mmCIF file of all heavy atoms in Angstrom:
data_model
loop_
_atom_site.group_PDB
_atom_site.id
_atom_site.type_symbol
_atom_site.label_atom_id
_atom_site.label_comp_id
_atom_site.label_asym_id
_atom_site.label_seq_id
_atom_site.Cartn_x
_atom_site.Cartn_y
_atom_site.Cartn_z
ATOM 1 N N CYS A 47 90.165 100.256 133.306
ATOM 2 C CA CYS A 47 90.417 101.509 134.005
ATOM 3 C C CYS A 47 89.810 102.691 133.263
ATOM 4 O O CYS A 47 89.651 102.669 132.050
ATOM 5 C CB CYS A 47 91.928 101.735 134.151
ATOM 6 S SG CYS A 47 92.746 100.415 135.077
ATOM 7 N N GLY A 48 89.503 103.746 134.010
ATOM 8 C CA GLY A 48 88.961 104.942 133.397
ATOM 9 C C GLY A 48 90.048 105.761 132.723
ATOM 10 O O GLY A 48 91.242 105.561 132.946
ATOM 11 N N ASP A 49 89.624 106.710 131.872
ATOM 12 C CA ASP A 49 90.561 107.563 131.171
ATOM 13 C C ASP A 49 91.111 108.635 132.098
ATOM 14 O O ASP A 49 90.412 109.134 132.973
ATOM 15 C CB ASP A 49 89.874 108.230 129.977
ATOM 16 C CG ASP A 49 89.489 107.245 128.892
ATOM 17 O OD1 ASP A 49 90.119 106.180 128.847
ATOM 18 O OD2 ASP A 49 88.567 107.551 128.108
ATOM 19 N N ILE A 50 92.384 108.997 131.886
ATOM 20 C CA ILE A 50 92.986 110.130 132.581
ATOM 21 C C ILE A 50 92.721 111.370 131.744
ATOM 22 O O ILE A 50 92.952 111.353 130.532
ATOM 23 C CB ILE A 50 94.497 109.905 132.764
ATOM 24 C CG1 ILE A 50 94.743 108.641 133.590
ATOM 25 C CG2 ILE A 50 95.152 111.115 133.409
ATOM 26 C CD1 ILE A 50 96.190 108.258 133.678
ATOM 27 N N PRO A 51 92.196 112.439 132.340
ATOM 28 C CA PRO A 51 91.867 113.637 131.556
ATOM 29 C C PRO A 51 93.069 114.170 130.785
ATOM 30 O O PRO A 51 94.207 114.140 131.266
ATOM 31 C CB PRO A 51 91.414 114.640 132.621
ATOM 32 C CG PRO A 51 90.977 113.791 133.772
ATOM 33 C CD PRO A 51 91.889 112.598 133.762
ATOM 34 N N ARG A 52 92.815 114.643 129.581
ATOM 35 C CA ARG A 52 93.834 115.266 128.750
ATOM 36 C C ARG A 52 93.146 116.251 127.813
ATOM 37 O O ARG A 52 91.930 116.213 127.621
ATOM 38 C CB ARG A 52 94.610 114.237 127.931
ATOM 39 C CG ARG A 52 93.756 113.344 127.041
ATOM 40 C CD ARG A 52 94.552 112.734 125.894
ATOM 41 N NE ARG A 52 94.981 113.750 124.944
ATOM 42 C CZ ARG A 52 95.593 113.467 123.795
ATOM 43 N NH1 ARG A 52 95.853 112.222 123.469
ATOM 44 N NH2 ARG A 52 95.959 114.441 122.972
ATOM 45 N N GLY A 53 93.926 117.131 127.206
ATOM 46 C CA GLY A 53 93.374 118.093 126.266
ATOM 47 C C GLY A 53 92.973 117.418 124.967
ATOM 48 O O GLY A 53 93.359 116.275 124.689
ATOM 49 N N PRO A 54 92.192 118.102 124.121
ATOM 50 C CA PRO A 54 91.769 117.526 122.838
ATOM 51 C C PRO A 54 92.957 117.278 121.921
ATOM 52 O O PRO A 54 93.892 118.080 121.871
ATOM 53 C CB PRO A 54 90.826 118.587 122.268
ATOM 54 C CG PRO A 54 91.248 119.867 122.921
ATOM 55 C CD PRO A 54 91.679 119.480 124.302
ATOM 56 N N ALA A 55 92.908 116.152 121.225
ATOM 57 C CA ALA A 55 93.986 115.811 120.297
ATOM 58 C C ALA A 55 93.874 116.652 119.030
ATOM 59 O O ALA A 55 92.787 117.083 118.644
ATOM 60 C CB ALA A 55 93.920 114.325 119.947
ATOM 61 N N VAL A 56 95.016 116.868 118.386
ATOM 62 C CA VAL A 56 95.022 117.579 117.111
ATOM 63 C C VAL A 56 94.200 116.771 116.106
ATOM 64 O O VAL A 56 94.373 115.554 115.998
ATOM 65 C CB VAL A 56 96.463 117.763 116.601
ATOM 66 C CG1 VAL A 56 96.472 118.381 115.205
ATOM 67 C CG2 VAL A 56 97.271 118.611 117.567
ATOM 68 N N PRO A 57 93.278 117.399 115.376
ATOM 69 C CA PRO A 57 92.446 116.666 114.431
ATOM 70 C C PRO A 57 93.263 115.914 113.379
ATOM 71 O O PRO A 57 94.395 116.289 113.064
ATOM 72 C CB PRO A 57 91.596 117.763 113.774
ATOM 73 C CG PRO A 57 91.578 118.875 114.778
ATOM 74 C CD PRO A 57 92.919 118.828 115.445
ATOM 75 N N ARG A 58 92.688 114.850 112.866
ATOM 76 C CA ARG A 58 93.341 114.030 111.847
ATOM 77 C C ARG A 58 93.831 114.898 110.673
ATOM 78 O O ARG A 58 93.104 115.738 110.148
ATOM 79 C CB ARG A 58 92.360 112.987 111.313
ATOM 80 C CG ARG A 58 92.950 112.051 110.261
ATOM 81 C CD ARG A 58 91.850 111.239 109.606
ATOM 82 N NE ARG A 58 91.153 110.410 110.571
ATOM 83 C CZ ARG A 58 91.513 109.165 110.905
ATOM 84 N NH1 ARG A 58 92.580 108.624 110.332
ATOM 85 N NH2 ARG A 58 90.818 108.480 111.786
ATOM 86 N N GLY A 59 95.086 114.678 110.290
ATOM 87 C CA GLY A 59 95.655 115.371 109.144
ATOM 88 C C GLY A 59 96.120 116.796 109.399
ATOM 89 O O GLY A 59 96.627 117.457 108.487
ATOM 90 N N GLU A 60 95.984 117.288 110.633
ATOM 91 C CA GLU A 60 96.340 118.676 110.931
ATOM 92 C C GLU A 60 97.661 118.796 111.689
ATOM 93 O O GLU A 60 98.079 119.904 112.023
ATOM 94 C CB GLU A 60 95.230 119.343 111.757
ATOM 95 C CG GLU A 60 93.909 119.488 111.027
ATOM 96 C CD GLU A 60 94.007 120.451 109.859
ATOM 97 O OE1 GLU A 60 94.721 121.465 109.978
ATOM 98 O OE2 GLU A 60 93.390 120.174 108.816
ATOM 99 N N MET A 61 98.336 117.648 111.991
ATOM 100 C CA MET A 61 99.511 117.722 112.875
ATOM 101 C C MET A 61 100.633 118.574 112.287
ATOM 102 O O MET A 61 101.377 119.215 113.028
ATOM 103 C CB MET A 61 100.034 116.319 113.223
ATOM 104 C CG MET A 61 100.616 115.537 112.090
ATOM 105 S SD MET A 61 99.332 114.737 111.141
ATOM 106 C CE MET A 61 100.307 113.858 109.929
ATOM 107 N N ALA A 62 100.752 118.619 110.955
ATOM 108 C CA ALA A 62 101.838 119.395 110.360
ATOM 109 C C ALA A 62 101.612 120.896 110.515
ATOM 110 O O ALA A 62 102.552 121.685 110.392
ATOM 111 C CB ALA A 62 101.992 119.036 108.885
ATOM 112 N N ARG A 63 100.365 121.306 110.791
ATOM 113 C CA ARG A 63 100.064 122.733 110.971
ATOM 114 C C ARG A 63 100.056 123.149 112.441
ATOM 115 O O ARG A 63 99.960 124.333 112.745
ATOM 116 C CB ARG A 63 98.715 123.070 110.332
ATOM 117 C CG ARG A 63 98.667 122.848 108.827
ATOM 118 C CD ARG A 63 97.569 123.654 108.149
ATOM 119 N NE ARG A 63 96.266 123.432 108.728
ATOM 120 C CZ ARG A 63 95.518 124.396 109.290
ATOM 121 N NH1 ARG A 63 95.985 125.627 109.380
ATOM 122 N NH2 ARG A 63 94.329 124.118 109.771
ATOM 123 N N ALA A 64 100.151 122.171 113.326
ATOM 124 C CA ALA A 64 100.160 122.487 114.757
ATOM 125 C C ALA A 64 101.498 123.104 115.151
ATOM 126 O O ALA A 64 102.552 122.692 114.672
ATOM 127 C CB ALA A 64 99.892 121.226 115.566
ATOM 128 N N THR A 65 101.450 124.081 116.034
ATOM 129 C CA THR A 65 102.677 124.743 116.464
ATOM 130 C C THR A 65 102.727 124.824 117.983
ATOM 131 O O THR A 65 101.691 124.947 118.643
ATOM 132 C CB THR A 65 102.802 126.149 115.843
ATOM 133 O OG1 THR A 65 104.020 126.757 116.275
ATOM 134 C CG2 THR A 65 101.633 127.035 116.242
ATOM 135 N N VAL A 66 103.945 124.756 118.512
ATOM 136 C CA VAL A 66 104.149 124.825 119.956
ATOM 137 C C VAL A 66 104.471 126.247 120.393
ATOM 138 O O VAL A 66 103.799 126.834 121.239
ATOM 139 C CB VAL A 66 105.280 123.861 120.394
ATOM 140 C CG1 VAL A 66 105.465 123.905 121.902
ATOM 141 C CG2 VAL A 66 104.974 122.447 119.939
ATOM 142 N N LEU A 67 105.519 126.820 119.802
ATOM 143 C CA LEU A 67 105.966 128.160 120.175
ATOM 144 C C LEU A 67 105.693 129.196 119.095
ATOM 145 O O LEU A 67 106.010 130.373 119.285
ATOM 146 C CB LEU A 67 107.469 128.140 120.484
ATOM 147 C CG LEU A 67 107.940 127.205 121.600
ATOM 148 C CD1 LEU A 67 109.455 127.289 121.759
ATOM 149 C CD2 LEU A 67 107.241 127.520 122.910
ATOM 150 N N GLY A 68 105.165 128.751 117.962
ATOM 151 C CA GLY A 68 104.969 129.681 116.857
ATOM 152 C C GLY A 68 106.229 129.900 116.048
ATOM 153 O O GLY A 68 106.288 130.802 115.201
ATOM 154 N N VAL A 69 107.261 129.070 116.261
ATOM 155 C CA VAL A 69 108.498 129.147 115.494
ATOM 156 C C VAL A 69 108.300 128.301 114.229
ATOM 157 O O VAL A 69 108.061 127.091 114.322
ATOM 158 C CB VAL A 69 109.694 128.607 116.320
ATOM 159 C CG1 VAL A 69 110.976 128.637 115.506
ATOM 160 C CG2 VAL A 69 109.846 129.419 117.608
ATOM 161 N N PRO A 70 108.381 128.885 113.033
ATOM 162 C CA PRO A 70 108.028 128.164 111.811
ATOM 163 C C PRO A 70 108.812 126.875 111.576
ATOM 164 O O PRO A 70 108.292 125.912 111.018
ATOM 165 C CB PRO A 70 108.318 129.190 110.698
ATOM 166 C CG PRO A 70 108.265 130.519 111.383
ATOM 167 C CD PRO A 70 108.766 130.278 112.768
ATOM 168 N N ASN A 71 110.077 126.852 111.989
ATOM 169 C CA ASN A 71 110.932 125.687 111.730
ATOM 170 C C ASN A 71 111.253 124.925 113.017
ATOM 171 O O ASN A 71 112.314 124.321 113.141
ATOM 172 C CB ASN A 71 112.222 126.105 111.040
ATOM 173 C CG ASN A 71 113.015 127.134 111.853
ATOM 174 O OD1 ASN A 71 112.484 127.770 112.761
ATOM 175 N ND2 ASN A 71 114.283 127.303 111.526
ATOM 176 N N GLU A 72 110.331 124.943 113.978
ATOM 177 C CA GLU A 72 110.603 124.304 115.270
ATOM 178 C C GLU A 72 110.634 122.781 115.179
ATOM 179 O O GLU A 72 111.258 122.113 116.007
ATOM 180 C CB GLU A 72 109.578 124.737 116.318
ATOM 181 C CG GLU A 72 108.162 124.297 116.013
ATOM 182 C CD GLU A 72 107.101 124.964 116.896
ATOM 183 O OE1 GLU A 72 107.451 125.906 117.661
ATOM 184 O OE2 GLU A 72 105.933 124.557 116.826
ATOM 185 N N ARG A 73 109.947 122.194 114.162
ATOM 186 C CA ARG A 73 109.922 120.740 114.037
ATOM 187 C C ARG A 73 109.484 120.343 112.638
ATOM 188 O O ARG A 73 108.958 121.166 111.868
ATOM 189 C CB ARG A 73 108.988 120.125 115.075
ATOM 190 C CG ARG A 73 107.540 120.589 114.971
ATOM 191 C CD ARG A 73 106.700 119.968 116.063
ATOM 192 N NE ARG A 73 105.284 120.293 115.919
ATOM 193 C CZ ARG A 73 104.323 119.739 116.657
ATOM 194 N NH1 ARG A 73 104.631 118.843 117.582
ATOM 195 N NH2 ARG A 73 103.056 120.075 116.463
ATOM 196 N N PHE A 74 109.703 119.053 112.339
ATOM 197 C CA PHE A 74 109.416 118.525 111.012
ATOM 198 C C PHE A 74 108.691 117.183 111.136
ATOM 199 O O PHE A 74 108.890 116.447 112.099
ATOM 200 C CB PHE A 74 110.711 118.349 110.213
ATOM 201 C CG PHE A 74 111.625 119.549 110.276
ATOM 202 C CD1 PHE A 74 112.723 119.556 111.128
ATOM 203 C CD2 PHE A 74 111.367 120.672 109.510
ATOM 204 C CE1 PHE A 74 113.557 120.663 111.204
ATOM 205 C CE2 PHE A 74 112.190 121.792 109.578
ATOM 206 C CZ PHE A 74 113.287 121.789 110.435
ATOM 207 N N HIS A 75 107.858 116.885 110.135
ATOM 208 C CA HIS A 75 107.124 115.619 110.078
ATOM 209 C C HIS A 75 107.570 114.873 108.817
ATOM 210 O O HIS A 75 106.966 115.045 107.745
ATOM 211 C CB HIS A 75 105.618 115.871 110.064
ATOM 212 C CG HIS A 75 105.093 116.520 111.307
ATOM 213 N ND1 HIS A 75 105.189 117.879 111.533
ATOM 214 C CD2 HIS A 75 104.474 115.992 112.400
ATOM 215 C CE1 HIS A 75 104.653 118.164 112.710
ATOM 216 N NE2 HIS A 75 104.214 117.041 113.260
ATOM 217 N N PRO A 76 108.621 114.078 108.892
ATOM 218 C CA PRO A 76 109.213 113.469 107.688
ATOM 219 C C PRO A 76 108.286 112.537 106.919
ATOM 220 O O PRO A 76 108.483 112.333 105.720
ATOM 221 C CB PRO A 76 110.431 112.723 108.237
ATOM 222 C CG PRO A 76 110.147 112.508 109.685
ATOM 223 C CD PRO A 76 109.346 113.694 110.121
ATOM 224 N N LEU A 77 107.275 111.952 107.583
ATOM 225 C CA LEU A 77 106.363 111.078 106.862
ATOM 226 C C LEU A 77 105.329 111.867 106.059
ATOM 227 O O LEU A 77 104.658 111.311 105.188
ATOM 228 C CB LEU A 77 105.638 110.126 107.829
ATOM 229 C CG LEU A 77 106.508 109.099 108.549
ATOM 230 C CD1 LEU A 77 105.647 108.192 109.416
ATOM 231 C CD2 LEU A 77 107.317 108.268 107.558
ATOM 232 N N VAL A 78 105.187 113.156 106.368
ATOM 233 C CA VAL A 78 104.245 114.005 105.652
ATOM 234 C C VAL A 78 104.927 114.738 104.511
ATOM 235 O O VAL A 78 104.484 114.704 103.353
ATOM 236 C CB VAL A 78 103.601 115.027 106.614
ATOM 237 C CG1 VAL A 78 102.664 115.976 105.851
ATOM 238 C CG2 VAL A 78 102.847 114.325 107.716
ATOM 239 N N ASP A 79 106.049 115.397 104.825
ATOM 240 C CA ASP A 79 106.741 116.209 103.824
ATOM 241 C C ASP A 79 108.133 116.529 104.354
ATOM 242 O O ASP A 79 108.290 116.896 105.521
ATOM 243 C CB ASP A 79 105.948 117.498 103.570
ATOM 244 C CG ASP A 79 106.555 118.355 102.470
ATOM 245 O OD1 ASP A 79 107.432 117.857 101.746
ATOM 246 O OD2 ASP A 79 106.137 119.522 102.342
ATOM 247 N N THR A 80 109.141 116.394 103.503
ATOM 248 C CA THR A 80 110.508 116.718 103.923
ATOM 249 C C THR A 80 110.976 118.062 103.374
ATOM 250 O O THR A 80 112.127 118.438 103.580
ATOM 251 C CB THR A 80 111.493 115.622 103.463
ATOM 252 O OG1 THR A 80 111.438 115.499 102.034
ATOM 253 C CG2 THR A 80 111.163 114.292 104.112
ATOM 254 N N LYS A 81 110.081 118.799 102.701
ATOM 255 C CA LYS A 81 110.498 120.063 102.098
ATOM 256 C C LYS A 81 110.972 121.054 103.159
ATOM 257 O O LYS A 81 111.984 121.745 102.959
ATOM 258 C CB LYS A 81 109.363 120.671 101.284
ATOM 259 C CG LYS A 81 109.791 121.954 100.538
ATOM 260 C CD LYS A 81 108.674 122.552 99.722
ATOM 261 C CE LYS A 81 109.186 123.754 98.926
ATOM 262 N NZ LYS A 81 109.820 124.781 99.783
ATOM 263 N N LEU A 82 110.247 121.149 104.281
ATOM 264 C CA LEU A 82 110.664 122.080 105.325
ATOM 265 C C LEU A 82 112.046 121.721 105.858
ATOM 266 O O LEU A 82 112.863 122.604 106.130
ATOM 267 C CB LEU A 82 109.646 122.090 106.462
ATOM 268 C CG LEU A 82 108.325 122.816 106.199
ATOM 269 C CD1 LEU A 82 107.405 122.664 107.404
ATOM 270 C CD2 LEU A 82 108.565 124.285 105.892
ATOM 271 N N LEU A 83 112.313 120.429 106.003
ATOM 272 C CA LEU A 83 113.625 120.001 106.479
ATOM 273 C C LEU A 83 114.693 120.270 105.422
ATOM 274 O O LEU A 83 115.822 120.661 105.752
ATOM 275 C CB LEU A 83 113.588 118.510 106.839
ATOM 276 C CG LEU A 83 114.849 117.921 107.483
ATOM 277 C CD1 LEU A 83 115.280 118.736 108.703
ATOM 278 C CD2 LEU A 83 114.614 116.467 107.881
ATOM 279 N N GLN A 84 114.346 120.081 104.152
ATOM 280 C CA GLN A 84 115.282 120.407 103.075
ATOM 281 C C GLN A 84 115.613 121.898 103.079
ATOM 282 O O GLN A 84 116.782 122.292 102.935
ATOM 283 C CB GLN A 84 114.676 120.007 101.732
ATOM 284 C CG GLN A 84 114.563 118.513 101.515
ATOM 285 C CD GLN A 84 113.778 118.158 100.260
ATOM 286 O OE1 GLN A 84 113.021 118.978 99.735
ATOM 287 N NE2 GLN A 84 113.940 116.939 99.785
ATOM 288 N N ASP A 85 114.575 122.723 103.251
ATOM 289 C CA ASP A 85 114.798 124.172 103.310
ATOM 290 C C ASP A 85 115.686 124.542 104.495
ATOM 291 O O ASP A 85 116.563 125.411 104.381
ATOM 292 C CB ASP A 85 113.464 124.911 103.423
ATOM 293 C CG ASP A 85 112.616 124.797 102.165
ATOM 294 O OD1 ASP A 85 113.164 124.417 101.109
ATOM 295 O OD2 ASP A 85 111.401 125.076 102.251
ATOM 296 N N GLU A 86 115.454 123.873 105.637
ATOM 297 C CA GLU A 86 116.263 124.153 106.827
ATOM 298 C C GLU A 86 117.725 123.799 106.588
ATOM 299 O O GLU A 86 118.631 124.533 106.998
ATOM 300 C CB GLU A 86 115.708 123.375 108.017
ATOM 301 C CG GLU A 86 116.452 123.614 109.324
ATOM 302 C CD GLU A 86 116.283 125.019 109.865
ATOM 303 O OE1 GLU A 86 115.395 125.753 109.386
ATOM 304 O OE2 GLU A 86 117.046 125.393 110.769
#
Side-chain angles (χ1 to χ4, degrees):
C47 300
D49 293 337
I50 300 173
R52 56 158 293 186
V56 174
R58 181 191 299 271
E60 295 294 323
M61 67 278 182
R63 298 202 306 120
T65 181
V66 182
L67 301 179
V69 178
N71 58 343
E72 64 192 8
R73 60 182 185 172
F74 313 101
H75 296 80
L77 294 183
V78 177
D79 184 13
T80 59
K81 184 179 184 304
L82 285 177
L83 186 53
Q84 291 172 341
D85 292 344
E86 181 68 14

